[in-house]
Amino acid sequence: MHPALYWIRRDLRLADNPALHAAARSGRPVVPVYVHAPDEAGAWAPGGASQWWLHHSLQALAQALAEHGLTLIIRHGDSLEALTGLIAETGATAVHWNRLYEPARVQSDIRVKQALKADGIEAHSHNAALLHEPWTLQTGSGGDYKAFTPFWRACRRQQPEPPAPLPVPAGLNAPAGADALPGAVIPERGHTAALDALGLLPRVDWAEGLRATWQPGAAGASQRLEAFLDQALAGYREGREQPAVAGTSRLSPHLHHGEIGPRQVWQAVQIRLAEHGSGDGRGESAETFLSEIGWREFAQHVLYHHPAFPDEPLNPQFAAFPWQDDPGDRMLGAWQRGETGIPLVDAGMRELYATGWMHNRVRMVVGSFLVKNLRLPWQAGEAWFWDTLVDADLASNSLGWQWVAGSGADAAPFFRVFNPIRQGERFDADGAYVAHWLPALAGLPAKHRHAPWQAPAAVLADAGVTLGVDYPHPLVDLKESRQAALAAFEQIKKGA
């Protein structure tokens, strides 16, 4: 039979993969192909941390495919040209893929599907990434949702429980000669040149912390989910707020790269509740955790309906916000390096650069500090996160930054300025998180770790801390910069 191509994007798994399942169900031999086409992402090609992850996830996927008798083919360049070239080489008559929802990807997919069908090729797209695709939900007036709570209620009404995830397809088989195709990746034979040629790994190896923290691939995703269910689900409602403890799932990079799907996560949580019951707060914690999947869905919904969301404030009033001048990016650079002199902010930024991840509570704090205390554009923070986060997702990243800036969907009120001292005292009460990422401050008593400039000179001396030498003085005064931010907000309100 003529083969079917399975076109891989951010669906780097075999289970619960509708495109792969449909290709296998057709009874045809299957040719999995990954086309590296960063230009088709528009201005948002994957950043450095995402590229590192992608390399290792593709490596893991190639191994998993090989164990099921399939050979991963890698091509580079225009997706349509790569697919039509492979169709000519293999005689394939069908192409299956899972949908993406970023504006540039949507337009690219439309072009590919139309061209393939015009050439007489079956072209089928599927949903692997979301419980609810963005166009399936509307408000009562027929518009899109701009607030999370009514959006999530509508999701639960429409589908209280998602369908069960699909198993790994049975009866996968490759066409004869698939392993001899150009771009074939065969890990057991050491044939990985096509993957290496993508140049996804950094020339200067800064990824030691990433390697120590993460295991990209579907197996790593499954292990992380099981560890979360075993160790943290029962206490998630409270534990998720404490950056020094392993109270969150850290599944976000695995979900973004499609190494695990939301249906799989949902089912695993329900199975665990069925096994252990929902008492002792377990049920409430599970519901809170599942609502985080809802936030991921909400982000995709907002981006789909507002394609300019990553670049422009959803609330147009904020287009006139008077951002502060930053000659030579002095303040931005200090924020990026974790050298602002504000411990919780600096700890978060150093965790980000070392591991490619940051606790969500701390993300809100560092974002508020950049946008409101430094009064620098949220787009600058968005771009830095895009390059350094292993879970950099266009929809979620944009939603988070516009939330903290007060300009986006369901955004925090602008007058809410996170006080990093109070946030640290509340959510890192013993200063363990700060001490871990800022060892220069580890000798300070816990009550002084979040504001070392307020510590008596004798306490600083006993801890071996000289401000301005061992740790910076604060870049700005928190009270004065908060007042300046609120004054700037009043300025755009008057101009509205």
Side-chain angles (χ1 to χ4, degrees):
M1 295 182 68
H2 293 286
L5 303 188
Y6 158 47
W7 178 23
I8 299 163
R9 280 99 71 75
R10 291 201 306 270
D11 47 353
L12 303 174
R13 64 183 187 267
L14 304 188
D16 196 33
N17 189 323
L20 177 61
H21 198 85
R25 194 172 59 238
S26 72
R28 304 173 182 183
V30 177
V31 179
V33 55
Y34 173 77
V35 181
H36 189 59
D39 291 346
E40 292 173 15
W44 296 96
S50 294
Q51 290 183 51
W52 174 88
W53 190 288
L54 176 60
H55 175 95
H56 293 288
S57 191
L58 283 169
Q59 197 171 46
L61 180 65
Q63 183 63 51
L65 287 167
E67 291 170 1
H68 286 81
L70 300 183
T71 300
L72 173 63
I73 307 299
I74 289 182
R75 299 290 166 91
H76 191 179
D78 179 82
S79 291
L80 179 58
E81 291 181 9
L83 292 172
T84 54
L86 191 56
I87 287 168
E89 293 169 39
T90 62
T93 56
V95 182
H96 292 267
W97 67 90
N98 293 310
R99 288 185 283 273
L100 299 175
Y101 306 94
E102 294 89 346
R105 298 291 190 185
V106 170
Q107 294 305 311
S108 176
D109 284 8
I110 291 172
R111 177 178 69 95
V112 168
K113 181 174 281 191
Q114 289 175 343
L116 290 176
K117 287 186 173 181
D119 286 343
I121 303 297
E122 295 180 35
H124 304 283
S125 62
H126 308 266
N127 171 28
L130 298 175
L131 302 178
H132 303 273
E133 293 187 285
W135 53 85
T136 63
L137 291 164
Q138 292 183 331
T139 64
S141 60
D144 57 286
Y145 286 92
K146 297 182 180 65
F148 171 72
T149 299
F151 169 83
W152 190 229
R153 285 175 181 158
C155 289
R156 299 304 300 273
R157 283 196 304 269
Q158 186 184 91
Q159 188 183 74
E161 294 293 325
L166 297 166
V168 177
L172 290 170
N173 64 93
D179 56 358
L181 288 167
V185 178
I186 311 172
E188 64 270 21
R189 299 185 201 168
H191 294 175
T192 61
L195 174 57
D196 299 335
L198 297 182
L200 297 171
L201 295 179
R203 291 193 181 95
V204 177
D205 188 6
W206 48 261
E208 180 180 352
L210 273 63
R211 287 193 296 272
T213 307
W214 304 102
Q215 181 188 341
S222 179
Q223 290 173 17
R224 193 165 287 275
L225 174 59
E226 287 302 313
F228 169 71
L229 296 175
D230 289 341
Q231 301 164 16
L233 176 62
Y236 179 77
R237 287 190 74 182
E238 294 76 29
R240 69 186 180 124
E241 297 285 10
Q242 302 173 49
V245 303
T248 64
S249 72
R250 298 200 179 196
L251 284 170
S252 52
H254 298 288
L255 280 162
H256 171 71
H257 290 91
E259 298 165 347
I260 195 168
R263 288 185 291 263
Q264 293 171 288
V265 176
W266 195 285
Q267 183 188 65
V269 170
Q270 300 305 329
I271 290 173
R272 187 57 56 98
L273 289 177
E275 291 173 346
H276 298 284
S278 58
D280 298 326
R282 187 178 286 105
E284 291 85 354
S285 282
E287 193 63 32
T288 301
F289 172 65
L290 293 176
S291 74
E292 294 300 319
I293 293 178
W295 274 101
R296 178 175 176 269
E297 304 259 323
F298 180 57
Q300 295 289 345
H301 179 87
V302 173
L303 176 59
Y304 179 82
H305 290 285
H306 302 276
F309 192 56
D311 305 297
E312 301 173 9
L314 190 64
N315 181 346
Q317 182 181 22
F318 281 83
F321 191 86
W323 301 112
Q324 190 164 208
D325 291 333
D326 185 22
D329 290 336
R330 180 184 69 87
M331 292 190 297
L332 177 63
W335 178 82
Q336 291 171 338
R337 295 188 300 271
E339 296 176 355
T340 69
I342 308 297
L344 186 59
V345 172
D346 291 343
M349 297 307 292
R350 295 189 192 188
E351 179 187 27
L352 170 62
Y353 197 76
T355 70
W357 189 83
M358 189 193 300
H359 189 277
N360 189 59
R361 168 61 55 175
V362 186
R363 293 189 198 200
M364 292 189 285
V365 173
V366 304
S368 176
F369 183 79
L370 179 76
V371 173
K372 295 174 180 175
N373 296 100
L374 299 184
R375 252 180 46 240
L376 297 180
W378 58 267
Q379 292 93 334
E382 179 190 36
W384 184 250
F385 273 27
W386 183 256
D387 195 41
T388 54
L389 281 170
V390 292
D391 65 3
D393 179 271
L394 189 60
S396 295
N397 196 34
S398 304
L399 186 77
W401 277 99
Q402 290 225 42
W403 183 89
V404 82
S407 61
D410 209 356
F414 187 84
F415 55 78
R416 182 181 183 186
V417 181
F418 283 89
N419 184 318
I421 301 173
R422 302 291 173 264
Q423 291 285 308
E425 291 171 345
R426 181 177 178 186
F427 298 110
D428 184 35
D430 60 0
Y433 179 76
V434 162
H436 178 78
W437 292 109
L438 304 175
L441 302 182
L444 284 173
K447 68 178 182 177
H448 293 301
R449 287 178 184 168
H450 293 292
W453 62 91
Q454 295 178 357
V459 172
L460 291 170
D462 287 346
V465 177
T466 301
L467 293 180
V469 177
D470 303 298
Y471 184 68
H473 292 287
L475 195 58
V476 293
D477 180 276
L478 293 175
K479 183 177 180 180
E480 292 176 0
S481 58
R482 178 183 185 276
Q483 292 171 341
L486 296 180
F489 179 54
E490 288 300 318
Q491 182 177 327
I492 65 169
K493 281 171 63 179
K494 291 176 182 177

